[in-house]
Amino acid sequence: DCAIALYYVSSTWAGVGAAFNILFYAMGTRAPNCPLLDLAPPSANLLYILVGTASLAACASDWARDRQLYLESMQLRKEFTGSVHDAKSSDPADRERIMSDISASGHLEQVNHAVDVLLRAGMSTPSLRAATSCGSDVRGAARWSLGHILAVFLVFVVIPLVACVLDTSCGGLWRFVPFLMVAEGITWFLIFARRQHDQRSFLSTAGCKFAAAYMAVMVLWFIPAL
C-alpha cells in the first residue's frame, strides 16, 4: 500500500534526522558548523521531527481507513439503483409502511437525493445536500484528517512559537510576524472546534494545503541562504 510505504520511508528519514540532532545536542559547542543549526537548534529540530512524524503516521492511518470506507461505500452503491423504491428490507411490513410514508409526504426525490449524499459523503446534512445540488464533490466530507490537523499545528503553531521563543525569525519591524502566525494558528483551531462535523473536512484539507504552500515558500526562501 502506497500510504503505508510513504509512512515507513518518511519515518526512516525522520529517525535519521532525529539521531543527528540528538548527536549535535549532546556535542554542544563541539557540534560541526552547519547552516541548518543556525536556523534552529537541535532541540527545536527534534520537536519539529516529532510533530511531523506524528502527522505522517496519522496521514497513513487516515489513508488506510479512507480506503476501507471507500470499498465499503462502493459495495453499498452496487445495491443502490438510485431510488428507495428498490430498497430491500428484512421485514416486508416495515418496507411497505416506510414506502407508504415517503409516498404520502411527496418527497421521494428529496429522499433519494439524501440517500445518495449519504453514500457519497458518509453522512447527509442540509449543507452537504445543498453543496451536491450545486455540483460539488462531497465524497469523504464526513471524515476529517488528523494528519492534516497536525500539519497545520506544526506549521502555524509549533514553528512560529519556537521562533518567538528563540527570536530567530524576522527582525526589525517584521518581528511581529511569528506572533501573528501563532495567533492565526490558534484562531484556526478555535474555528475548527466550533464548526459542524460536515464542515471540518473542508477546513482540515484547506488548512493543510495552506500549510504545504507556506512551507514550499519558506524552503525556496531558505535555500539561497544555505
Side-chain angles (χ1 to χ4, degrees):
D1 186 90
C2 294
I4 303 301
L6 175 63
Y7 164 65
Y8 281 120
V9 171
S10 302
S11 297
T12 300
W13 280 109
V16 172
F20 274 107
N21 279 281
I22 291 174
L23 177 61
F24 292 155
Y25 182 79
M27 294 176 66
T29 57
R30 295 173 298 165
N33 185 23
C34 176
L36 290 176
L37 294 180
D38 294 334
L39 297 175
S43 56
N45 287 328
L46 285 173
L47 178 60
Y48 300 156
I49 291 172
L50 175 63
V51 180
T53 304
S55 175
L56 291 170
C59 280
S61 175
D62 292 336
W63 290 336
R65 179 199 60 186
D66 288 346
R67 180 184 178 186
Q68 181 62 35
L69 291 175
Y70 172 77
L71 294 175
E72 293 175 359
S73 176
M74 291 299 296
Q75 187 65 29
L76 288 172
R77 290 187 66 82
K78 287 181 180 179
E79 305 296 331
F80 182 59
T81 63
S83 174
V84 294
H85 273 306
D86 299 320
K88 300 177 182 179
S89 173
S90 58
D91 188 339
D94 283 345
R95 181 185 182 283
E96 292 300 325
R97 177 171 51 80
I98 294 172
M99 293 307 305
S100 176
D101 290 342
I102 293 175
S103 298
S105 69
H107 295 155
L108 177 60
E109 290 301 322
Q110 291 89 328
V111 172
N112 287 334
H113 181 56
V115 173
D116 183 64
V117 172
L118 174 63
L119 293 176
R120 290 176 183 273
M123 65 165 48
S124 183
T125 66
S127 297
L128 292 178
R129 292 194 293 274
T132 304
S133 299
C134 294
S136 300
D137 185 357
V138 297
R139 285 178 296 179
R143 305 181 300 277
W144 51 270
S145 171
L146 178 60
H148 291 173
I149 298 300
L150 290 174
V152 174
F153 178 67
L154 172 64
V155 174
F156 292 108
V157 177
V158 175
I159 293 178
L161 185 60
V162 169
C164 292
V165 173
L166 300 178
D167 195 17
T168 56
S169 186
C170 306
L173 296 176
W174 297 102
R175 188 166 299 224
F176 72 92
V177 170
F179 295 91
L180 178 62
M181 287 187 62
V182 172
E184 290 175 341
I186 293 175
T187 301
W188 185 90
F189 275 96
L190 291 175
I191 293 174
F192 181 86
R194 294 179 63 86
R195 293 297 91 187
Q196 299 295 325
H197 191 81
D198 60 350
Q199 298 172 328
R200 291 181 176 180
S201 176
F202 171 78
L203 281 173
S204 64
T205 302
C208 185
K209 289 181 178 180
F210 277 117
Y214 173 81
M215 288 304 299
V217 171
M218 293 302 295
V219 169
L220 293 176
W221 189 10
F222 283 140
I223 285 178
L226 299 178

